[in-house]
Amino acid sequence: MKTIKGPAIFLAQFAGDAAPFNSLDGIARWAAGLGFKGVQIPSWDHRLFDLHKAATSRTYCDEIKGTLADAGVELTELSTHLQGQLVAVHPAYDALYDGFAPAEVHGRPDARQAWAVEQLHLAAKASANLGLTAHATFSGALAWPYLYPWPQRPPGLIETAFDELAKRWRPILDAFDEAGCDLCYEIHPGEDLFDGTTFQMFLDRVGGHERCNILFDPSHFVLQQLDYLGYIDVFRDRIRMFHVKDAEFNPTPWQGVYSGYAPWKDRAGRFRSLGDGQVDFRGIFSKLTQYGFDGWAVLEWECCIKHPEQGAAEGARFIQDHIIRVTDRAFDDFADAGTDEAANRRILGLGKGAS
């Protein structure tokens, strides 16, 4: 067993145009002041990070690490959630997802996809230059519009979608393998990898690739009513990243899992600030520790009620209180009888004449 590292914070929901949230130095010092020990950087936010420069300059990467060290935190991982989403986009979402990419590729799906793939390759190189061993992303989605089987799906539709998804991601996984870095897909509705079945379908199609791994975020499982503790049991060897995010699900006569197109504050399933939802984090931290997860516990804050700065301050304390310092001895060592092999044989009645 190993002690989980943390607390850390994903900066995407906090970066902004006003100080201290508009520069890496400022936001890192703010995070450290709240008690965070690590930060996870959204690679698309140019106020904080230059992905191309990090992929091509170790000097720049040393400067990034130096800035963070001076602030009192370290870099946990990079994220390409927005770019990963664009590796696979169903045409129904073209207009919505164009906003994730530069203006010059808007309205040009093939060019947008090529840009996204290049971004992932840059992220692999940047992760290597920064000495990182895990990376966060989304899988994108081709099959998501057909989640509900009505009208009846034609035979082979989902299989074709996952074959294509694997084809697009396999070279990227190979690039991360060359970089010595795990590529961790956040299991998330809206992506083709949104539960255990879909992750396994994808994993099979990339040949069980060593770098194909999971960013575990239990909030998305609460909203699907999925057994997130059992998920850890099943996929413990593939969970290489952990977002500590809370959620609640309160079905009513009006709403269930699909939540009736309601805005977030009125949905039966909604994300909550850490500690305000229903996730069993004591169970999660116990299982991850039991199975030897040695990554970071990273706060991803999303809530439609509480202010983010209050959520961040409470989140740092919440994670720190849930991290388990692993034991270095058995709890019943006080009763150790000091036996040896000969004594064990005597206890079992295996004397000299026993066979």
Side-chain angles (χ1 to χ4, degrees):
M1 297 186 296
K2 299 178 182 177
T3 299
I4 296 172
K5 296 189 285 288
I9 184 170
F10 185 30
L11 299 178
Q13 286 84 3
F14 299 93
D17 292 329
F21 307 107
N22 59 350
S23 70
L24 185 61
D25 177 68
I27 201 170
R29 292 182 184 278
W30 166 80
L34 296 178
F36 289 103
K37 299 176 182 178
V39 295
Q40 187 178 97
I41 294 180
S43 68
W44 61 85
D45 197 319
H46 297 292
R47 293 168 297 194
L48 308 181
F49 189 75
D50 187 322
L51 180 59
H52 186 272
K53 191 178 290 187
T56 56
S57 171
R58 281 195 169 88
T59 299
Y60 174 75
C61 290
D62 289 341
E63 292 170 356
I64 291 290
K65 291 188 288 185
T67 295
L68 296 178
D70 288 345
V73 294
E74 60 182 288
L75 178 58
T76 65
E77 303 97 0
L78 298 177
S79 155
T80 53
H81 281 86
L82 300 192
Q83 302 99 312
Q85 183 77 64
L86 303 183
V87 171
V89 176
H90 188 279
Y93 293 94
D94 274 340
L96 293 173
Y97 282 141
D98 266 353
F100 289 2
E104 57 266 26
V105 299
H106 289 183
R108 301 166 55 208
D110 290 344
R112 185 187 60 208
Q113 179 192 338
W115 173 83
V117 169
E118 180 188 23
Q119 288 280 296
L120 267 294
H121 281 273
L122 291 174
K125 294 176 182 176
S127 295
N129 288 342
L130 288 160
L132 301 175
T133 58
H135 181 83
T137 198
F138 279 150
S139 69
L142 300 173
W144 180 255
Y146 312 103
L147 173 69
Y148 197 80
W150 182 259
Q152 188 180 68
R153 292 189 294 251
L157 179 70
I158 302 304
E159 289 77 7
T160 298
F162 272 78
D163 288 345
E164 177 63 24
L165 191 70
K167 178 182 175 182
R168 296 186 187 189
W169 277 104
R170 182 59 191 256
I172 299 171
L173 286 163
D174 290 342
F176 273 87
D177 190 35
E178 292 176 10
C181 186
D182 292 322
L183 187 56
C184 302
Y185 296 97
E186 182 168 355
I187 306 304
H188 187 292
E191 312 304 317
D192 277 344
L193 309 190
F194 63 87
D195 61 9
T197 298
T198 51
F199 177 77
Q200 189 65 53
M201 288 168 62
F202 180 74
L203 182 63
D204 290 344
R205 283 167 168 79
V206 295
H209 202 293
E210 179 183 0
R211 298 301 178 179
C212 180
N213 290 292
I214 291 170
L215 190 170
F216 177 75
D217 181 337
S219 69
H220 302 299
F221 297 163
V222 170
L223 270 55
Q224 297 181 70
Q225 291 295 279
L226 189 154
D227 178 4
Y228 51 83
L229 293 177
Y231 195 95
I232 297 173
D233 293 330
V234 173
F235 291 106
R236 60 184 180 269
D237 293 335
R238 292 283 175 175
I239 295 173
R240 305 291 172 85
M241 292 181 63
F242 175 26
H243 270 179
V244 190
K245 191 171 83 172
D246 215 340
E248 62 184 354
F249 181 70
N250 299 304
T252 71
W254 295 94
Q255 289 184 24
V257 170
Y258 301 118
S259 291
Y261 297 110
W264 276 111
K265 69 181 182 63
D266 299 324
R267 293 176 71 85
R270 59 187 185 176
F271 302 127
R272 295 302 309 275
S273 198
L274 197 51
D276 294 345
Q278 299 169 344
V279 174
D280 178 7
F281 282 108
R282 294 201 180 279
I284 289 171
F285 275 84
S286 292
K287 280 189 177 290
L288 290 176
T289 302
Q290 171 189 342
Y291 290 134
F293 175 77
D294 61 352
W296 286 85
V298 180
L299 170 68
E300 184 185 19
W301 180 89
E302 291 181 351
C303 185
C304 56
I305 297 175
K306 185 172 287 185
H307 193 280
E309 292 182 44
Q310 181 183 357
E314 293 173 352
R317 296 191 295 270
F318 185 95
I319 293 173
Q320 186 62 62
D321 288 345
H322 281 74
I323 290 175
I324 299 168
R325 180 186 174 189
V326 298
T327 184
D328 56 1
R329 60 189 178 90
F331 64 86
D332 54 358
D333 276 354
F334 71 93
D336 181 14
T339 55
D340 55 25
E341 178 63 19
N344 288 339
R345 294 187 65 82
R346 287 196 302 273
I347 291 169
L348 294 170
L350 301 176
K352 291 182 179 179
S355 60

